Amino acid sequence: LYLAIWMYVALLGVQLFLMIVSKVTEDVFTAEVVGTVGFAVVTLAFYFPCRERFTVREPVAFPRYWYLLVVLAAVPIGLGVHAYVRGVSSLFGLHAPLGFEDELAHGWIWASVLIVVMPPLVEELAFRGVMFGALRHSLTVSETLIVTSFAFGLLHLSIPSLLTHIPLGFYFGWLRHRSGSLWPAVLAHACHNAFVLALVTV
């Protein structure tokens, strides 16, 4: 439990530091790259020394065709998130947090790496790997899903995005629990990000 807390504090520190740096320097792209590397380093630093502790035997009831359902589910979920973000942005005159302008300005390859590839791998290892595994030794499945979902939403440091990221975190956590593996959650996360990226560039 303490391991999960310390990892979360470290990730939150990385996020806060980079948010401040990006505001001061106005170099969002560099902050995004450094932040992604920082998240990966912190997560791996907590994962590798104690990886046996994060192995939780979950009931596996995840047929292979569910992977197709995960891919298909990205469409309605992505549309819902996109509509919500645009609605909040228009209603309150806020800058949409899913704009991806800085990543896209450096080309599709950078945008794909920083949005579709790295966040699903790093964030799923952190939240549905390290944190989920650590908390499951002390909490029930429901409690673990709730805690990791709120932690996932809060780490994005955006009040409007809480209404999208907490349910997303719960969905990814449920996939990890039902499958006994990180890969369905990684796939769902990647498909969601890819679909939203495609939507904002249309």
Side-chain angles (χ1 to χ4, degrees), residues 14-93:
V14 171
Q15 184 79 327
L16 285 168
F17 175 75
L18 290 167
M19 186 179 75
I20 293 169
V21 169
S22 67
K23 293 292 183 185
V24 172
T25 64
E26 296 185 355
D27 188 353
V28 177
F29 178 77
T30 301
E32 184 84 16
V33 173
V34 174
T36 300
V37 173
F39 267 57
V41 169
V42 168
T43 301
L44 293 173
F46 278 88
Y47 173 75
F48 278 113
C50 310
R51 56 186 176 275
E52 292 81 13
R53 295 188 198 177
F54 310 130
T55 302
V56 180
R57 302 300 175 200
E58 302 284 6
V60 178
F62 204 82
R64 290 188 181 272
Y65 69 86
W66 279 29
Y67 283 92
L68 176 60
L69 296 178
V70 166
V71 174
L72 296 176
V75 175
I77 292 171
L79 287 172
V81 169
H82 184 70
Y84 166 76
V85 169
R86 293 299 177 232
V88 168
S89 182
S90 299
L91 186 62
F92 296 104

Side-chain angles (χ1 to χ4, degrees), residues 12-201:
L12 193 59
V14 171
Q15 184 79 327
L16 285 168
F17 175 75
L18 290 167
M19 186 179 75
I20 293 169
V21 169
S22 67
K23 293 292 183 185
V24 172
T25 64
E26 296 185 355
D27 188 353
V28 177
F29 178 77
T30 301
E32 184 84 16
V33 173
V34 174
T36 300
V37 173
F39 267 57
V41 169
V42 168
T43 301
L44 293 173
F46 278 88
Y47 173 75
F48 278 113
C50 310
R51 56 186 176 275
E52 292 81 13
R53 295 188 198 177
F54 310 130
T55 302
V56 180
R57 302 300 175 200
E58 302 284 6
V60 178
F62 204 82
R64 290 188 181 272
Y65 69 86
W66 279 29
Y67 283 92
L68 176 60
L69 296 178
V70 166
V71 174
L72 296 176
V75 175
I77 292 171
L79 287 172
V81 169
H82 184 70
Y84 166 76
V85 169
R86 293 299 177 232
V88 168
S89 182
S90 299
L91 186 62
F92 296 104
L94 301 172
H95 175 70
L98 294 177
F100 303 140
E101 296 91 350
D102 297 287
E103 294 89 346
L104 287 168
H106 288 78
W108 270 96
I109 293 176
W110 274 110
S112 298
V113 169
L114 292 174
I115 297 166
V116 180
V117 177
M118 290 305 295
L121 289 172
V122 175
E123 291 177 9
E124 292 313 308
L125 180 60
F127 288 95
R128 264 60 67 176
V130 176
M131 190 172 291
F132 189 98
L135 292 176
R136 275 294 285 120
H137 292 292
S138 305
L139 305 177
T140 66
V141 173
S142 298
E143 291 168 340
T144 301
L145 288 173
I146 290 169
V147 171
T148 54
S149 301
F150 273 85
F152 178 70
L154 290 169
L155 193 73
H156 288 79
L157 301 178
S158 169
I159 292 174
S161 72
L162 288 177
L163 289 179
T164 57
H165 284 70
I166 290 174
L168 280 172
F170 196 92
Y171 170 53
F172 299 150
W174 178 82
L175 287 173
R176 186 258 179 268
H177 167 65
R178 286 302 302 268
S179 68
S181 168
L182 277 182
W183 292 114
V186 171
L187 176 64
H189 199 153
C191 288
H192 168 76
N193 287 11
F195 187 71
V196 173
L197 176 61
L199 279 177
V200 299
T201 55

